Amino acid sequence: MPTARLGHPQLGLGVGLRTQHYPYLLKHRPPVDWFEIISENYIDSQGRPRYVLEQIAEQYPIVMHGVSLSIGSTDPLNFDYLYKLKQLAQAVGPKWISDHLCWTGVAGRNSHDLLPIPLNELTLRHVVERIRIVQDFLERPLVLENPSSYVTFVSSTMSEWEFLTRMSEEADCGLLLDVNNVYVSSVNHDFDPCEYIAGLPHERIVQMHLAGHTNMGTHCIDTHDGPVIDPVWELYRQAHQWTGGVSSLLEWDAAIPEFPVVHAEILKAKEHMQAGLPRTFAASSSTEESGSRVVPQPAVMVLAEVE
């Protein structure tokens, strides 16, 4: 078993717990390593969703994944929400709690979208301070995900991977590397996704996400409505090599097929976990200093999307 990261275990290959699959899961108890839940779907529920979750949590490891923390907002932190999040965690016993590096609303209004933040020193200080407060309140490390993005800010002064690196180190939190989001954003903003993943603090990556997306021709949208494409699998393979392997999960949230189809998709990860590095990548084992960290040199890889 790989060494735990920030006290978090390597759970293996998991899928998101979705209502469409409740009957199948309760009847068949399939051999899934773990499940991730959307925290907001269970915070205020005492009905069937909560009942099913309790049944699942008795037999499988659970991770809580939120969409409402709004860690980048200028609004005060919502302690009513945090209290409910903490209560759910006490009832379910998740291996960790995650959310996104984004803001979801302002002036008390929730946009129900994961909105991007300017990547600069001012925002970094703001986010780091809020993460520290949240971690103290939840009494556990927080894990934050890189969102997909569709706009950038003139006021940004650093790359997203530099921001994530400094944020996780200064706030002492974990990272959820969404490999599909890296690919989507790389297409939308024309950066090298290999450089992005190579530049992260790999020892702080607790989990990875995989998902499908929609190619609109001029840009990509993170829709979670289909299988993972080959270039994203290739990025996952490289991320697996850099991290040494972390808990990995498939997200499928629209046009959701039967559970065996979803489960089979995440099991494809095994092929990429076992595959060797290409010669150009293996030859790039030299390193260079970047501040106080040593960053591996990424391979040159051309990602051509085929759907």
Side-chain angles (χ1 to χ4, degrees):
M1 179 68 68
T3 303
R5 294 158 181 266
L6 306 180
H8 301 314
Q10 218 290 38
L11 299 177
L13 302 175
V15 296
L17 181 62
R18 300 296 180 260
T19 57
Q20 292 91 330
H21 297 148
Y22 284 175
Y24 182 91
L25 296 175
L26 293 176
K27 179 179 180 180
H28 296 283
R29 307 292 182 177
V32 182
D33 290 342
W34 60 287
F35 286 98
E36 179 185 81
I37 66 169
I38 302 300
S39 303
E40 287 76 6
N41 290 343
Y42 300 92
I43 281 178
D44 291 316
S45 173
Q46 296 299 326
R48 179 167 171 76
R50 191 64 172 267
Y51 168 78
V52 173
L53 174 58
E54 290 171 355
Q55 301 299 304
I56 297 298
E58 287 182 359
Q59 298 191 37
Y60 302 92
I62 298 293
V63 165
M64 288 170 50
H65 186 55
V67 294
S68 301
L69 181 59
S70 200
I71 200 69
S73 177
T74 55
D75 274 6
L77 287 166
N78 185 341
F79 281 94
D80 288 338
Y81 168 76
L82 289 173
Y83 177 73
K84 293 178 181 179
L85 198 65
K86 189 172 183 178
Q87 280 190 314
L88 179 63
Q90 290 171 343
V92 175
K95 298 303 180 182
W96 57 83
I97 298 175
S98 65
D99 208 291
H100 302 77
L101 176 62
C102 70
W103 60 286
T104 59
V106 68
R109 295 181 177 272
N110 193 335
S111 71
H112 300 288
D113 206 348
L114 307 176
L115 304 170
I117 61 175
L119 304 174
N120 54 43
E121 297 290 342
L122 181 62
T123 307
L124 180 64
R125 291 196 298 273
H126 176 69
V127 169
V128 166
E129 178 60 25
R130 286 163 70 91
I131 293 173
R132 290 171 176 164
I133 295 170
V134 170
Q135 291 185 143
D136 286 345
F137 184 86
L138 295 178
E139 299 181 288
R140 64 176 72 211
L142 184 64
V143 177
L144 286 175
E145 174 185 344
N146 58 294
S148 57
S149 62
Y150 309 92
V151 298
T152 57
F153 292 88
V154 174
S155 59
S156 291
T157 58
M158 66 184 81
S159 65
E160 187 168 279
W161 54 95
E162 179 185 352
F163 189 99
L164 287 166
T165 296
R166 292 183 58 189
M167 177 198 77
S168 62
E169 292 176 346
E170 293 177 26
D172 194 21
C173 67
L175 294 177
L176 194 172
L177 171 59
D178 190 310
V179 182
N180 182 63
N181 286 353
V182 172
Y183 181 85
V184 166
S185 295
S186 76
V187 172
N188 294 343
H189 305 314
D190 193 26
F191 62 75
D192 181 356
C194 298
E195 181 182 2
Y196 185 117
I197 296 176
L200 294 172
H202 304 132
E203 71 282 358
R204 288 192 172 273
I205 298 174
V206 172
Q207 179 187 342
M208 285 193 274
H209 269 172
L210 290 157
H213 63 262
T214 301
N215 185 346
M216 306 301 292
T218 57
H219 61 284
C220 291
I221 301 177
D222 182 35
T223 48
H224 298 185
D225 62 352
V228 180
I229 67 169
D230 288 344
V232 174
W233 278 123
E234 172 62 14
L235 282 176
Y236 174 77
R237 185 184 63 78
Q238 293 200 13
H240 177 79
Q241 294 288 340
W242 266 314
T243 61
V246 300
S247 306
S248 301
L249 180 126
L250 177 73
E251 296 181 294
W252 202 320
D253 298 313
I256 302 175
E258 297 298 318
F259 184 82
V261 176
V262 176
H263 192 203
E265 186 67 15
I266 187 58
L267 292 180
K268 293 178 184 177
K270 292 182 178 180
E271 304 171 18
H272 303 276
M273 292 160 62
Q274 297 166 356
L277 290 171
R279 182 172 301 176
T280 53
F281 183 75
S284 67
S285 58
S286 60
T287 58
E288 68 175 0
E289 291 292 333
S290 175
S292 60
R293 299 181 58 248
V294 177
V295 178
Q297 293 296 288
V300 175
M301 183 178 72
V302 177
L303 294 177
E305 180 170 6
V306 179
E307 295 192 297

